[in-house]
Amino acid sequence: MNILHLNSNLNRSKIHSNIVESLNNLEGVDGRIFFPTEIKHHYIEYNESYIDKVKCINRYERFFYFHRNNHLLKVSSELYKKNNFTHILAHSLFSNGKLAMDLSKKLGIPYSVIVTNTDVNKYFKKMIHLRKTGESILENASSVIFTSSSYKERVLEKYISVDKKSGIDEKSSCIPFGIEDFWIDNRQKAQKDTKNEIKQLLYVGKINKNKNLIFLADSIEKLNNEKNKEQFVLTIVGDCENSKDEKIKQNLIKRKYVKIINFADKEKLLNYYRAADVFIMISKTESFGLVYAEAMTQGLPIVYTKNEGFDKQFKDYLVGIPVNPKSYFEIKEAINHIENNYKELSYNAFEHSEIFLWENIAIRFKDCLLTKKDKVSNKEII
């Protein structure tokens, strides 16, 4: 299997490189990434031999969806006209999926698409004029990968025509992203198991409006006041991505029960996970949230956002609890439940963290990308 990966946002997350690397490490799989960038924009240099970074996008083209896709179709079809790819994988539905669909027709090979947080919470939700395009991309794909069943259910229920739901549903899979081997190699069971020890709450990630940290801090303050003592302390490991979010950080700094660590490498972050009792991130929207999985490797029960990327990866109350990010009551109940069931939740989190090993996830990706014809051929060979 020779895969052409399409990703115009490669610089925004290492997840995309991990997908390609983990697939390329499988026997019989090879692949390259088409990474189109703005002509005058500075991007970090990539040394990986499988990345084709092509400076070809005019800065204004991002405002003209179809024109941009037509341009990228010409560039990519010319670049890869002599390559023997057997499959195309678009790393997002809208930003890369339209190109995958058009390039598939031109090269005569099938394509698959990954549906992301941005696809669900930005394009489908807000860009009504592109909904039919999104539906068409899903309809013509050989397979569709959702990072969670929550996103799959939302897309099928809200944005897909009744007569096309079953067809898209049948070829859809729910596959989470993986975490670096470092976290799997350093898995450790939590040492605490009584509610009297549950004090340290941990958040790891960016400080911005979407992460909902002001509401989280308000909820912790209210919870402490109800207990008439400063029982819970929230440690935030992360910093503002943009200057506009500095007000949020300053608001958090003033609170006596909030500690902020601006940056931590993997080794230091490992110690913060191990020092914590509960991991909590109640973002308004969340594509997946690798930090949930990282926390699980250290036996931390987790509190996560209901109906977003991580929700329904596991049954409710197995490794943690999903909550409405706007509900203090649900946050309070989640923490109380964890206090009373800590040992069980901690053990489950530790035990189930192995599913996020990239090697295992790559196998699931490969199986999803294989067409029915490929699967029949494989059986005959075996």
Side-chain angles (χ1 to χ4, degrees), residues 311-363:
D311 190 19
K312 294 185 174 64
Q313 298 292 340
F314 304 96
K315 292 181 180 179
D316 294 358
Y317 302 96
L318 179 66
V319 302
I321 304 167
V323 299
N324 179 338
K326 298 179 181 179
S327 171
Y328 164 70
F329 175 77
E330 290 192 21
I331 294 170
K332 174 184 175 180
E333 289 299 299
I335 293 175
N336 285 339
H337 181 85
I338 290 173
E339 282 188 311
N340 294 319
N341 300 274
Y342 192 86
K343 190 172 184 178
E344 179 184 357
L345 289 166
S346 175
Y347 176 80
N348 289 341
F350 172 81
E351 285 294 312
H352 286 82
S353 63
E354 280 190 320
I355 74 166
F356 298 110
L357 182 66
W358 267 115
E359 181 180 352
N360 297 334
I361 289 172
I363 294 172

Side-chain angles (χ1 to χ4, degrees), residues 37-75:
T37 69
E38 289 186 14
I39 296 172
K40 295 184 179 181
H41 198 287
H42 175 71
Y43 293 87
I44 63 172
E45 292 300 321
Y46 292 89
N47 297 320
E48 293 84 352
S49 59
Y50 57 79
I51 298 178
D52 296 322
K53 188 178 78 168
V54 184
K55 291 187 175 183
C56 59
I57 303 175
N58 184 295
R59 62 179 298 188
Y60 297 108
E61 284 186 306
R62 61 193 177 98
F63 299 109
F64 302 96
Y65 181 82
F66 294 102
H67 171 76
R68 176 180 177 277
N69 273 280
N70 289 335
H71 180 197
L72 292 181
L73 177 62
K74 291 180 182 178
V75 173

Side-chain angles (χ1 to χ4, degrees), residues 13-24:
S13 173
K14 197 174 185 304
I15 287 175
H16 307 298
S17 295
N18 287 337
I19 292 173
V20 182
E21 288 177 5
S22 60
L23 280 167
N24 284 354

Side-chain angles (χ1 to χ4, degrees), residues 13 55 61 88 94 127 148 163 174 180 185 196 215 237 262 280 285 315 346 350 357:
S13 173
K55 291 187 175 183
E61 284 186 306
I88 299 171
F94 287 93
M127 299 188 179
S148 78
D163 60 323
C174 297
E180 294 183 49
D185 295 340
N196 292 329
F215 186 81
V237 180
N262 289 339
I280 182 167
T285 65
K315 292 181 180 179
S346 175
F350 172 81
L357 182 66

Side-chain angles (χ1 to χ4, degrees), residues 106-345:
K106 200 152 192 175
L107 299 182
I109 57 177
Y111 73 93
S112 300
V113 62
I114 301 172
V115 182
T116 68
N117 166 45
T118 302
D119 293 319
V120 179
N121 287 305
K122 178 182 177 182
Y123 284 99
F124 264 132
K125 184 177 181 179
K126 300 178 180 179
M127 299 188 179
I128 300 174
H129 64 292
L130 292 178
R131 286 181 183 174
K132 283 298 178 183
T133 298
E135 182 181 67
S136 179
I137 296 168
L138 293 173
E139 183 183 16
N140 288 286
S142 65
S143 61
V144 179
I145 299 172
F146 290 89
T147 56
S148 78
S149 57
S150 292
Y151 283 164
K152 177 185 171 183
E153 291 172 7
R154 195 186 312 174
V155 169
L156 290 176
E157 288 302 314
K158 287 189 173 184
Y159 306 116
I160 303 302
S161 304
V162 175
D163 60 323
K164 296 177 182 178
K165 283 183 181 180
S166 61
I168 294 174
D169 187 18
E170 287 176 4
K171 60 185 175 183
S172 294
S173 300
C174 297
I175 306 176
F177 293 137
I179 54 178
E180 294 183 49
D181 290 349
F182 171 84
W183 300 105
I184 302 295
D185 295 340
N186 289 280
R187 291 167 75 230
Q188 177 175 292
K189 293 181 180 180
Q191 303 302 310
K192 307 174 185 69
D193 59 17
T194 63
K195 68 178 183 179
N196 292 329
E197 295 180 274
I198 311 306
K199 297 178 180 178
Q200 300 295 327
L201 308 180
L202 177 67
Y203 163 87
V204 176
K206 298 172 183 175
I207 297 176
N208 60 36
K209 187 177 181 179
N210 179 59
K211 296 302 182 179
N212 205 25
L213 289 168
I214 298 297
F215 186 81
L216 175 58
D218 288 341
S219 298
I220 300 304
E221 179 177 20
K222 190 173 181 180
L223 193 57
N224 282 337
N225 289 337
E226 287 183 7
K227 291 179 179 290
N228 294 318
K229 60 179 180 178
E230 189 176 311
Q231 178 175 349
F232 300 108
V233 175
L234 174 65
T235 298
I236 296 172
V237 180
D239 206 348
C240 303
E241 188 175 31
N242 302 301
S243 57
K244 66 179 181 180
D245 298 315
E246 191 63 33
K247 287 184 178 180
I248 298 175
K249 182 178 179 180
Q250 293 305 315
N251 181 303
L252 295 167
I253 287 175
K254 296 175 182 179
R255 304 175 187 241
K256 61 180 180 179
Y257 50 87
V258 175
K259 298 178 182 178
I260 296 183
I261 311 297
N262 289 339
F263 173 77
D265 57 27
K266 285 185 294 188
E267 287 72 18
K268 290 181 180 179
L269 184 54
L270 180 65
N271 291 327
Y272 288 120
Y273 280 128
R274 289 178 174 175
D277 303 316
V278 177
F279 183 84
I280 182 167
M281 183 166 75
I282 52 168
S283 310
K284 295 175 182 177
T285 65
E286 193 66 58
S287 182
F288 177 69
L290 294 178
V291 285
Y292 295 124
E294 292 175 1
M296 286 174 57
T297 67
Q298 305 310 307
L300 293 186
I302 55 178
V303 180
Y304 48 97
T305 305
K306 189 180 292 183
N307 296 324
E308 284 300 320
F310 198 84
D311 190 19
K312 294 185 174 64
Q313 298 292 340
F314 304 96
K315 292 181 180 179
D316 294 358
Y317 302 96
L318 179 66
V319 302
I321 304 167
V323 299
N324 179 338
K326 298 179 181 179
S327 171
Y328 164 70
F329 175 77
E330 290 192 21
I331 294 170
K332 174 184 175 180
E333 289 299 299
I335 293 175
N336 285 339
H337 181 85
I338 290 173
E339 282 188 311
N340 294 319
N341 300 274
Y342 192 86
K343 190 172 184 178
E344 179 184 357
L345 289 166

